[in-house]
Amino acid sequence: VDVWEVFSYAWPDDLGEPFRGQRVHVPFGPGNRDEHGFVVEPEGTRPKGIELKPVSKAVDREPQIGSGVFKLAEWISDYYMTPLGMVLQACVPSPAGKHADRKEAVVYLEEDGEGARNRIGPRQKAILDELFEARLQGIEPVALGMLLRKSGAQRASFNSLVSRGLVRTEMRDVKIQPLDRGRGVVDAPFELNPEQQAVLGEINQKVDLGTYSATLLHGVTGSGKTEVYVRAIRRINGKGRGVILLAPEIALATQTFKRLLSRLGRVAVLHSGLSPTERAYYWEQIRRGNADVVVGPRSAIFAPVPNLGLIVIDEEHESSYKQGTVPRYHGRDVAVKRASLEDVPILLGTATPSMESINNARSGRYGLLELPHRVRGLPMPSLKIVHLRREMQSGKVELLGRTLTSKMAAALDRNEQVILLMNRRGYASYVFCPSCKWMLECRHCSMPMVWHRSLTLATCHHCGNTAELPDYCPACEGRILLFGYGIQRIEDELFRKFPNATFARMDSDTMTSPVQFKKVIDDFGDGNIDILLGTQMVAKGLDFPNVSLVGVVSADTCLSINDFRASERTFQLIVQVAGRAGRDRTPGEVIVQTLYGDDPAIRHAATHDYRGFAEMELRDRRETGLPPFSRMARFVIRHSRMEKAEEAAETFTAELRRHLPPDRVTVIGPQQAELPRIKDRFRFHVMLICPVPGLIQQCLLPHLPEIQRSVPADIVTDIDPLDLM
DNA sequence: AGCACGCCGACT
DNA sequence: GTCGGCGTGCTC
């Protein structure tokens, strides 16, 4: 609904007084269809010569967001060049269902529902797609009500899926954690070390000052950042003010939420995985000022905390803070904006600061605090780079090289635990015909599909489309091969090499629900599992005392991507996963397998040399004029026909050029995007690079709606893009 | 996004 | 002659 304009309506007296941000229903368009909208100007001027329609209904009776969040939404609308209505929709959750049931139906995707998958209707397909998406995000099961709303399907289509055995329902208690439960605040079981105390002292000064300041807390993995947050939060709570704590994703937010429950007073969570009832409950409690802390992923930055005193962003560097759909905002940057609008301090914590943040710290825009050592004098894990090429026995493909294998054996002998990390990309299995080189590709995206043994289906990672495994190659009728070093290959190797060890796999295929996630985490924590094998998921925030060895099966997969942040991401991934090792008495060891051991990102990670890496990377970025020394904007032009897309991209770019000063804005493209076709749409893109923050928006914002309308294709606008594919 | 209007090709 | 394709434009 790309409606940029603001429309005037008559306000019937019986609706009370209108206020900014109020949700309303209005008749819209020739058929007067019912649309929802937000009051933007309660005292708007009446446009002349137009008969006003009356607002039909007011949804809110009290403001759901404060003026700070409303201003924030306006800023997002301008900065990210997104219509204000869409921004407000992202800020304010849709109103809760009327009935606050004690129980609700939740839906699971059935594991072995192979058959019957063909010949299902589009509505049923939509339901399955939603469920599959939820599984990939690890938020399965999904509340039935939410599922039907999101897929736009009727109950009948759903029932049909149940009778085909493709999905399964269960009744679940609506589990709302009452806010006042944790009233008795538990004291910390231990004292802060001098380093932590010094850092906390600095933070407390800013907290006591109570005005805007941004502080980057660079603390190595295991340096006790969370404990520092907790103390700072308590202090601000003691002044009767609330805190927002952002975590990169739902799973981590949930984990942090539980951790805080035992240490702080009234803790609330907010995220899209909650049932409407739960979400409404927390929202309402927060709005009334009953929450001391709100924990959540990026969207929690819009929480209506009435007397905000501090914002904390954990794992500031994480790219999941950037939203992939409109409005495409960066949670960290929006948080900094909110802090400055509401004049409160903000704390950004990480072991591997993003280039943006470290640059801000160096230029003095942010303060910088450091925790260079682990707590309790624990040493950093030792890191060893292993060149896979040298380790490979002739002709035989081994994923776990000689060194890693023997280190694993030794660790297991000592009854210590092991974490193995592999990147999803590059470790997928493809469906392949060796004789004619045919490969199973998604019909809609022209990208190879990935075979999942557990689902007995091939899926497309871009659109979620699924396909059955063909018996024979459709091109030459030859034999089909599953090709690639899938996770299963590693599992097979583990079976062969460590027949007595127990291991668990943790990736989006096996972690279908928070319950399963918790179970694996608990089992591993209790020592029932020796080896934890996982994707990025295992790199983040886990804390197991008995892990002495971490193996990075291949560090290269994120280097090969054509993206100027590849180096930064590789460095972060290695340092973060290495941080899982040696968190208690057993010293940690990390083996990084690579084909390109000379890569500077890997070398710096091996010596825990953040400074050296940042120095080098910033120099590169400065020389090439890339962020953080410039700002980028990216536009993707999409059309179902290739020529149309290309043509539209050309005219769109020409229009952009007319409004941009050529000496200050570099225009790259248009060119075909890295992923040339997704969901049946061909993609071209243009990139703008400009050293002056905000200049691109200033030049384009007045003209963009008009330009977009004049181009017969979909245009996606992405400011400060992280994804350049 | 919907939903109209409007201007060109293949049919009863 | 009309039905219907989808490019274009508007929504207070």
Side-chain angles (χ1 to χ4, degrees), chain A residues 258 511 513-524:
Chain A
K258 290 185 176 143
M511 294 300 106
S513 72
V515 185
Q516 291 189 41
F517 185 81
K518 188 175 180 308
K519 185 170 187 326
V520 172
I521 295 292
D522 288 349
D523 277 351
F524 194 64

Side-chain angles (χ1 to χ4, degrees), chain A residues 387-406:
Chain A
H387 293 250
L388 254 188
R389 267 182 237 272
R390 289 183 210 147
E391 298 233 333
M392 281 210 220
Q393 296 165 3
S394 53
K396 200 168 170 210
V397 181
E398 295 253 309
L399 295 171
L400 308 174
R402 228 183 317 122
T403 312
L404 182 54
T405 306
S406 65

Side-chain angles (χ1 to χ4, degrees), chain A residues 143-212:
Chain A
L144 177 57
M146 177 145 69
L147 183 64
L148 293 181
R149 200 153 2 88
K150 278 175 116 178
S151 61
Q154 294 297 310
R155 187 63 195 251
S157 328
F158 176 78
N159 290 342
S160 152
L161 285 175
V162 176
S163 57
R164 284 159 189 260
L166 291 171
V167 300
R168 163 172 63 88
T169 58
E170 247 173 44
M171 292 308 285
R172 174 175 78 171
D173 289 324
V174 177
K175 45 157 185 23
I176 292 175
Q177 186 78 63
L179 280 186
D180 44 4
R181 204 214 60 166
R183 267 288 167 98
V185 172
V186 181
D187 262 317
F190 50 83
E191 288 290 306
L192 294 186
N193 65 31
E195 247 176 26
Q196 285 173 305
Q197 273 173 25
V199 161
L200 180 64
E202 298 264 352
I203 294 171
N204 281 343
Q205 265 184 30
K206 316 232 179 194
V207 161
D208 292 348
L209 215 57
T211 57
Y212 170 75

Side-chain angles (χ1 to χ4, degrees), chain A residues 65-348:
Chain A
I65 52 174
S67 64
V69 174
F70 191 87
K71 283 194 198 116
L72 188 65
E74 289 181 314
W75 176 80
I76 293 174
S77 169
D78 288 347
Y79 185 83
Y80 292 100
M81 300 200 283
T82 307
L84 182 58
M86 308 190 76
V87 179
L88 285 168
Q89 245 179 71
C91 297
V92 189
S94 48
K98 280 159 254 129
H99 31 258
D101 290 337
R102 299 270 37 177
K103 278 176 183 284
E104 66 178 358
V106 292
V107 186
Y108 294 86
L109 207 51
E110 196 63 73
E111 285 302 328
D112 32 62
E114 289 112 90
R117 201 176 281 272
N118 38 9
R119 294 188 32 229
I120 58 171
R123 290 277 73 107
Q124 296 183 39
K125 175 90 166 63
I127 296 177
L128 290 180
D129 287 350
E130 281 297 334
L131 276 172
F132 194 74
E133 181 62 24
R135 169 167 296 193
L136 289 180
Q137 285 180 26
I139 53 173
E140 199 185 11
V142 181
L144 177 57
M146 177 145 69
L147 183 64
L148 293 181
R149 200 153 2 88
K150 278 175 116 178
S151 61
Q154 294 297 310
R155 187 63 195 251
S157 328
F158 176 78
N159 290 342
S160 152
L161 285 175
V162 176
S163 57
R164 284 159 189 260
L166 291 171
V167 300
R168 163 172 63 88
T169 58
E170 247 173 44
M171 292 308 285
R172 174 175 78 171
D173 289 324
V174 177
K175 45 157 185 23
I176 292 175
Q177 186 78 63
L179 280 186
D180 44 4
R181 204 214 60 166
R183 267 288 167 98
V185 172
V186 181
D187 262 317
F190 50 83
E191 288 290 306
L192 294 186
N193 65 31
E195 247 176 26
Q196 285 173 305
Q197 273 173 25
V199 161
L200 180 64
E202 298 264 352
I203 294 171
N204 281 343
Q205 265 184 30
K206 316 232 179 194
V207 161
D208 292 348
L209 215 57
T211 57
Y212 170 75
S213 64
T215 308
L216 177 62
L217 172 57
H218 176 201
V220 298
T221 55
S223 61
K225 291 186 287 293
T226 310
E227 194 51 39
V228 173
Y229 302 155
V230 169
R231 311 262 174 145
I233 291 172
R234 278 206 197 177
R235 188 173 182 103
I236 208 83
N237 285 165
K239 297 170 190 286
R241 307 180 73 177
V243 176
I244 298 176
L245 195 160
L246 296 189
E249 51 195 78
I250 294 177
L252 275 175
T254 310
Q255 205 179 314
T256 311
F257 170 62
K258 290 185 176 143
R259 219 152 135 190
L260 294 184
L261 272 180
S262 64
R263 297 290 312 285
L264 294 163
R266 303 170 299 171
V267 191
V269 261
L270 272 188
H271 58 74
S272 59
L274 299 176
S275 77
T277 320
E278 285 174 290
R279 183 147 24 110
Y281 173 80
Y282 284 123
W283 182 271
E284 188 54 24
Q285 294 299 322
I286 294 164
R287 207 172 66 83
R288 290 186 199 162
N290 292 342
D292 297 323
V293 194
V294 180
V295 188
R298 57 177 178 268
S299 59
I301 195 54
F302 303 118
V305 179
N307 194 7
L308 189 64
L310 173 71
I311 300 175
V312 180
I313 304 183
D314 197 19
E315 309 294 356
E316 160 282 319
H317 65 280
E318 281 289 335
S319 54
S320 49
Y321 279 122
K322 183 82 200 282
Q323 176 143 304
T325 56
V326 245
R328 305 183 132 77
Y329 65 94
H330 197 300
R332 181 232 297 142
D333 299 342
V334 169
V336 171
K337 192 67 200 180
R338 180 162 183 192
S340 87
L341 281 173
E342 304 213 7
D343 202 23
V344 297
I346 181 168
L347 181 62
L348 304 92

Side-chain angles (χ1 to χ4, degrees), chain A residues 525-547:
Chain A
D526 294 345
N528 299 333
I529 295 170
D530 302 316
I531 304 169
L532 182 63
L533 170 66
T535 52
Q536 329 279 61
M537 236 179 237
V538 301
K540 290 176 196 165
L542 302 179
D543 194 350
F544 301 108
N546 195 35
V547 172

Side-chain angles (χ1 to χ4, degrees), chain A residues 53 67 87 108 146 209 236 242 340 358 392 428 476 479 485 492 528 564 573 584 616 627 640 661 682 698 725:
Chain A
K53 296 178 185 176
S67 64
V87 179
Y108 294 86
M146 177 145 69
L209 215 57
I236 208 83
S340 87
I358 195 68
M392 281 210 220
C476 73
R479 293 277 297 166
Y485 308 108
D492 293 344
N528 299 333
F564 71 90
L573 184 67
D584 204 354
M616 175 199 78
S640 52
F682 292 90
Q698 197 191 313
M725 305 283 271

Side-chain angles (χ1 to χ4, degrees), chain A residues 17-66:
Chain A
E17 282 298 302
F19 49 85
R20 280 182 136 204
Q22 184 176 25
R23 289 172 293 185
V24 291
H25 283 253
V26 292
F28 193 71
N32 278 336
R33 62 176 196 278
D34 186 48
E35 287 281 356
H36 39 243
F38 291 88
V39 176
V40 171
E41 279 178 76
E43 308 282 328
T45 47
R46 175 183 287 268
K48 27 191 180 300
I50 298 171
E51 186 85 11
L52 295 191
K53 296 178 185 176
V55 169
S56 46
K57 193 179 155 212
V59 178
D60 303 318
R61 288 195 283 116
E62 290 167 43
Q64 294 299 306
I65 52 174

